[in-house]
Amino acid sequence: MRYYDKEQKLVKIVCNQCGAEAEAAGGLVHEDFISVDKQWGYFSKKDLEIHSFDLCENCYDRLRAGFKFPVDVRRQTEV
Ligand SMILES: [Zn+2]
């Protein structure tokens, strides 16, 4: 979950799974989260719904540990 102030500046991110919080200092968060923004389509049971959530790195690691096949991991060559 992302919290914004009146000027739409990011205030903090909260992990939807465990509740871990990361404050945003000047709009910058010093922890990384995975953010999902899914617009469900006609062929789903959630047509026209948009689901959004954030997971902290620990919860992401627990989620992907349950995958049958590992995630594709590539390295960025530039940051
Ligand atoms: Zn978490």
Side-chain angles (χ1 to χ4, degrees), residues 28-47:
L28 192 63
V29 178
H30 293 276
E31 292 177 53
D32 215 350
F33 283 69
I34 183 169
S35 299
V36 174
D37 215 21
K38 170 63 180 164
Q39 299 178 32
W40 292 96
Y42 182 74
F43 295 106
S44 74
K45 294 173 184 154
K46 303 169 191 65
D47 190 20

Side-chain angles (χ1 to χ4, degrees), residues 15 17-20 55-56 59 62:
C15 175
Q17 181 73 34
C18 74
L55 293 177
C56 71
C59 287
R62 279 194 290 272

